Structure formats: structure tokens, C-alpha cells
Amino acid sequence: MGAPQAPADAPAAGGAPLENGEGGPIYAARLRWRCRRGMLENDLVLARFLDRRGDALSVAEAVALDRALDLPDNELWELIAHRRDCLDPALAPIIDALRAA
């Protein structure tokens, strides 16, 4: 059993919201574009996550998501589907958020 998750409508933790932070709307649009993946399962989870929390992402969360998107599709899916534990402490919170999406 995983750690308790914050409600879906809870504000993002850790820093300024992405739209008002140093990333700004262009960074947010680029991040949404990067979430379009070759694997349908990842595509669905990432789209649902951004639809629910995208506007409330902090800059720190967006940077972590950006790093997670550098992973190959199969590796990312194994993390999201909890087939493999996330050993990177910087990515663990965003992977947990994606799992809850």
C-alpha cells in the first residue's frame, strides 16, 4: 500500500504555480507537448494528470515531470504502473502523483 495521496483538488506543493513561475505558459505548453507519447497507456495517464493538475503544478514539479519524460516509454510505464520502484528521490513524488492520476 502506497503513501496517502492528497485530494485531486488540493493545491500543488512546493513553489510557485507553473503559470506564474519562472517556466511560464510557454514552458507549460512545451511540457504538455512532451507528454504526448508513443505508448497509449502513458499518453492516457499523462493527459489525465495534466488535465487535473497541470495548471497547479509548481516549477519544481514541472521540472521533475520534465525529467521523468526523458525516460523511455517502457521504463516510464513500468514506474507509473508500479511494476518497478522509483529509486530516484527527485522523481519519486511526481511518479507517485502520476500513479494517483
Side-chain angles (χ1 to χ4, degrees):
M1 186 149 112
Q5 301 295 323
D9 59 350
L18 181 60
E19 293 296 336
N20 298 326
E22 60 196 47
I26 293 173
Y27 184 77
R30 185 182 70 80
L31 192 61
R32 184 169 287 277
W33 177 255
R34 288 199 67 210
C35 284
R36 297 182 57 163
R37 306 298 285 203
M39 181 183 271
L40 178 62
E41 294 87 344
N42 284 342
D43 227 10
L44 295 173
V45 170
L46 291 165
R48 184 173 53 227
F49 174 77
L50 286 179
D51 287 345
R52 291 180 180 171
R53 297 212 28 223
D55 291 339
L57 281 181
S58 69
V59 173
E61 290 170 321
V63 168
L65 180 58
D66 211 0
R67 281 195 53 221
L69 294 174
D70 288 337
L71 297 171
D73 280 343
N74 289 335
E75 193 173 328
L76 181 58
W77 176 244
E78 286 182 4
L79 290 170
I80 292 171
H82 218 316
R83 293 181 183 157
R84 187 159 43 125
D85 291 330
C86 183
L87 301 178
D88 184 341
L91 291 182
I94 200 70
I95 296 297
D96 288 342
L98 290 169
R99 288 174 178 163

